[in-house]
Amino acid sequence: MKVGSLDIGQAIMLAPMEEVTDRSFRKICKRFGADVVYTEFISAEAIRRQVDTSLRKMRFDDDEAPVVVQIFGNSQEAMAEAAVIAASCSPAWIDINFGCPAKKVAGKGAGAALLKEPDKMVAIAAAVVRAVNLPVTVKTRLGWDRDSINIVDIVPRLEDVGVQALAIHGRTRSEMYRGVADWEWIRKVTEKARIPVIANGDIWSAADARAMFAETGADAVMIGRGAIGNPFIFAQARELLDTGRVVTHPDYRDRIAVAVEHLKLSVEFKGEKYGSLEMRRHYSTYLKGLPRVSRVRDKLVREPDWRNVIEILQAYEVECEGYEREGKIRDYAEFLNDHSKRLTLNY
Ligand SMILES: Cc1cc2nc3c(=O)[nH]c(=O)nc-3n(C[C@H](O)[C@H](O)[C@H](O)COP(=O)(O)O)c2cc1C
């Protein structure tokens, strides 16, 4: 797959996720083989007003590249201006969010709300394409609700104004994150589109990534929730696609080691206070399915000093060695395959 002059092959991408895909998590996913990583979505209005927290979300290091900066908004002017500022950070390309279902975004006429106003959506995309010399892509959903699925009609219009790829989450806005993503509709999009299509929704394992390529005919796939607490999925998916078998099998030691690495990076980039506070939401995903974990989780989210957090994690690793000897540790892949458990991973 090519975006502009960038050839990224049969790419496996990290999906944009608010409060998740920050520098620390992007670096980790990149290290495990994500071919392209996205920033969290960033408000065009906030970029325009030079709000520091928003500008910071656009920063990245060379070792994360290619990085895509994603912006959202509902006016052509704000989006074009924000795109110019985002382009000054030299991302691989700029992505427009036309898929966010959250009230704070869609309720203000941005994100998925633009699926109800295709003319405006296309005008915004055109304005952003005109404003920057970088490729521009769009990430969206199938439509507003099941009765108004309109993505197949919108795609040619986005192509006509110069959008260079489309990431499609196989749900409607009304479905939020419920049910299962509709890969058949993604196939309809790939059949219609002339630009590359990035398929997204419910890839929870390497086998899912392979199936997504096969069932949708997409040029690339994008993994969101399945990577939270499980960045190993990128290595596994790549192995399966390239060699037909998975050799990366993380155990509790690997998972705890990545949690520690994530915490250290978070503290490095966000400082001791926010870096450790923001990590609290991640511990449960890194430790999910391990024996007697709730007690440890409670300790972790109460501990103010990140150095002590590392000690708690290391002590738990030793505890897990005991559980392992007693045969109480379940294989992680098997755990993730258990559908009911998988749903509880919904973030
Ligand atoms: C916590 C969270 C935050 C998200 N933030 C964004 C975002 O900033 N921009 C965006 O386009 N999609 C966002 N999404 C949607 C994901 O990118 C993705 O489309 C969706 O989760 C479906 O893919 P998955 O089944 O692999 O998770 C978010 C999803 C989650 C769970």
Side-chain angles (χ1 to χ4, degrees):
M1 160 173 173
K2 269 181 115 178
V3 177
S5 57
L6 190 68
D7 192 343
I8 43 178
Q10 198 185 26
I12 305 164
M13 306 187 180
L14 171 65
M17 285 183 284
E18 186 188 18
E19 295 185 343
V20 178
T21 58
D22 58 7
R23 261 161 105 185
S24 48
F25 190 59
R26 291 197 305 260
K27 268 179 199 281
I28 287 172
C29 291
K30 188 77 206 181
R31 188 164 70 68
F32 281 103
D35 296 301
V36 176
V37 296
Y38 280 58
T39 64
E40 309 168 55
F41 67 7
I42 314 173
S43 153
E45 289 294 347
I47 295 175
R48 203 184 193 187
R49 284 187 277 111
Q50 306 273 329
V51 174
D52 194 48
T53 45
S54 299
L55 296 180
R56 237 180 290 148
K57 288 181 183 168
M58 296 196 294
R59 276 190 217 140
F60 57 87
D61 295 318
D62 290 346
D63 64 358
E64 295 169 51
V67 178
V68 179
V69 172
Q70 191 191 58
I71 57 174
F72 72 93
N74 81 337
S75 96
Q76 290 181 47
E77 296 72 28
M79 288 291 276
E81 207 178 304
V84 171
I85 298 170
S88 68
C89 299
S90 304
W93 69 80
I94 298 206
D95 184 69
I96 308 177
N97 179 313
F98 288 141
C100 181
K103 276 216 176 81
K104 65 178 177 183
V105 175
K108 292 185 183 149
L114 288 153
L115 284 161
K116 286 199 291 194
E117 294 185 275
D119 292 348
K120 191 167 179 188
M121 179 197 272
V122 174
I124 289 175
V128 173
V129 169
R130 275 195 307 273
V132 292
N133 281 324
L134 286 173
V136 174
T137 62
V138 158
K139 178 168 178 285
T140 187
R141 291 183 174 231
L142 303 174
W144 180 258
D145 58 24
R146 279 274 141 186
D147 298 327
S148 61
I149 292 182
N150 53 357
I151 186 60
V152 170
D153 299 327
I154 293 175
V155 173
R157 300 186 61 191
L158 293 172
E159 288 170 342
D160 287 346
V161 298
V163 168
Q164 298 206 23
L166 179 87
I168 181 78
H169 175 191
R171 284 187 176 81
T172 62
R173 188 272 173 182
S174 303
E175 288 164 337
M176 305 294 282
Y177 294 92
R178 284 189 296 273
V180 180
D182 188 335
W183 292 7
E184 271 174 42
W185 262 106
I186 298 181
R187 170 165 275 288
K188 290 181 193 164
V189 176
T190 62
E191 280 166 0
K192 176 86 180 191
R194 285 174 280 129
I195 53 174
V197 173
I198 305 157
N200 168 241
D202 288 316
I203 297 176
W204 298 98
S205 66
D208 290 342
R210 182 167 66 176
M212 179 69 108
F213 274 114
E215 290 176 28
T216 65
D219 302 277
V221 297
M222 177 182 263
I223 306 177
R225 291 163 299 169
I228 299 176
N230 187 25
F232 314 97
I233 194 172
F234 293 103
Q236 295 171 324
R238 177 54 60 208
E239 289 159 6
L240 190 63
L241 288 172
D242 289 355
T243 69
R245 62 191 199 101
V246 173
V247 293
T248 296
H249 293 294
D251 64 8
Y252 63 88
R253 292 180 195 85
D254 303 308
R255 294 166 63 193
I256 290 172
V258 173
V260 170
E261 179 190 357
H262 196 164
L263 170 61
K264 285 183 179 165
L265 287 169
S266 188
V267 168
E268 182 185 335
F269 296 133
K270 294 188 175 167
E272 297 209 352
K273 186 174 168 202
Y274 292 108
S276 41
L277 273 179
E278 290 193 11
M279 270 305 288
R280 290 185 175 175
R281 67 172 71 95
H282 289 287
Y283 299 128
S284 59
T285 55
Y286 280 116
L287 302 179
K288 208 144 208 147
L290 292 172
R292 307 191 60 186
V293 74
S294 58
R295 188 179 32 88
V296 185
R297 219 169 32 216
D298 288 349
K299 268 205 239 171
L300 289 169
V301 297
R302 288 211 178 88
E303 176 52 57
D305 188 330
W306 63 274
R307 294 169 199 85
N308 295 341
V309 166
I310 294 180
E311 276 181 21
I312 296 169
L313 285 167
Q314 285 166 343
Y316 182 57
E317 185 176 329
V318 174
E319 200 180 315
C320 282
E321 285 167 14
Y323 298 135
E324 191 176 34
R325 280 192 295 274
E326 293 163 21
K328 287 187 182 152
I329 298 219
R330 226 181 129 182
D331 178 72
Y332 191 41
E334 215 177 84
F335 169 78
L336 289 173
N337 264 335
D338 180 335
H339 197 66
S340 61
K341 292 279 171 24
R342 191 188 294 185
L343 289 180
T344 65
L345 286 178
N346 277 0
Y347 203 69

